Amino acid sequence: MKKVKLALLTVALAGSSLAMAQDKAALVKQFIDLQRPGVESLARGLVEQSSAPIAAAGSQYLQTQVPAEKREAAAKAADAELKKYFDDAYPIVRDKAVQLAPGALGPIMEQNFSEDELKQLLAWISSPLSKKYQEINPKLQQALTEKLVAETRATIEPKMVALDSSVAKALGAPTNPQAGGGAAPKAAPAKAPAKK
């Protein structure tokens, strides 16, 4: 009789553990589903970052190598190419990020949060205060970014020009004496695409 009770207790505990694990897994899935806008934003940022060096080089080239009367048309053509790249690359990266998020984030969430903590986290994320914070957070980041760039531009820009020149010299590329920097690309886009 003792063995039967012990077996039943073992089965009950195993079933309870399985149910708790399923509940926790469901909470993690719910968390990841709520994070989809952030995952998509991450993908957007990666695509924009990938084209930023090309856009920056193109802008430099546009200002130093393209005759003034042709700059507007060249900038529009370059912007169109950047937009075309973004429109093609973003859905690929976004869809892959959404697909990979559960496998990448789920185990970390399950290892680091208890079921009760996940419930609290989900309650917070779903709260009106959290939603308000998420809406204003880009404005907070933009305000800090603008202030930081303004405050460091005078110090950092000469360092970037020196770096450009040093890298061009190390590569044996001709330098652009007008801009005080390195080699100008043969052809490149003018600036990053506008955010959607």
Side-chain angles (χ1 to χ4, degrees):
M1 187 69 154
K2 270 187 170 179
K3 288 183 181 182
V4 172
K5 285 183 182 179
L6 185 58
L8 288 174
L9 182 60
T10 303
V11 169
L13 286 174
S16 175
S17 294
L18 181 60
M20 285 176 33
Q22 288 174 340
D23 289 344
K24 193 172 181 182
L27 291 170
V28 167
K29 182 187 180 317
Q30 187 179 355
F31 172 82
I32 292 169
D33 289 346
L34 287 171
Q35 295 305 303
R36 183 175 177 141
V39 170
E40 291 178 356
S41 179
L42 172 75
R44 175 183 298 278
L46 288 172
V47 173
E48 289 171 349
Q49 285 176 1
S50 70
S51 63
I54 295 169
S59 179
Q60 175 74 17
Y61 183 79
L62 185 70
Q63 296 302 316
T64 61
Q65 303 297 316
V66 176
E69 66 276 4
K70 295 183 179 182
R71 284 186 192 146
E72 186 176 343
K76 285 181 181 177
D79 286 345
E81 291 301 319
L82 282 165
K83 184 178 182 326
K84 182 176 159 186
Y85 165 78
F86 181 85
D87 291 346
D88 184 47
Y90 173 63
I92 295 167
V93 177
R94 178 200 61 215
D95 293 349
K96 184 55 77 172
V98 168
Q99 177 190 2
L100 294 173
L105 305 178
I108 296 169
M109 296 298 296
E110 286 194 35
Q111 290 170 2
N112 290 285
F113 291 96
S114 69
E115 185 176 338
D116 188 52
E117 289 170 330
L118 285 167
K119 288 176 182 176
Q120 291 176 46
L121 185 59
L122 287 168
W124 157 251
I125 289 173
S126 301
S127 74
L129 180 59
S130 174
K131 289 179 182 172
K132 183 176 183 179
Y133 174 75
Q134 290 172 14
E135 287 173 8
I136 196 170
N137 193 40
K139 292 178 187 174
L140 295 171
Q141 291 178 1
Q142 182 179 356
L144 177 58
T145 300
E146 288 173 1
K147 185 79 169 161
L148 181 61
V149 168
E151 293 288 326
T152 60
R153 177 176 278 131
T155 305
I156 298 301
E157 279 186 354
K159 293 179 184 303
M160 292 296 296
V161 169
L163 174 63
D164 187 37
S165 181
S166 297
V167 169
K169 185 177 178 181
L171 295 173
T175 59
N176 181 355
Q178 294 171 335
K186 297 266 186 229
K191 59 184 178 180
K195 290 187 177 185
K196 291 185 173 188

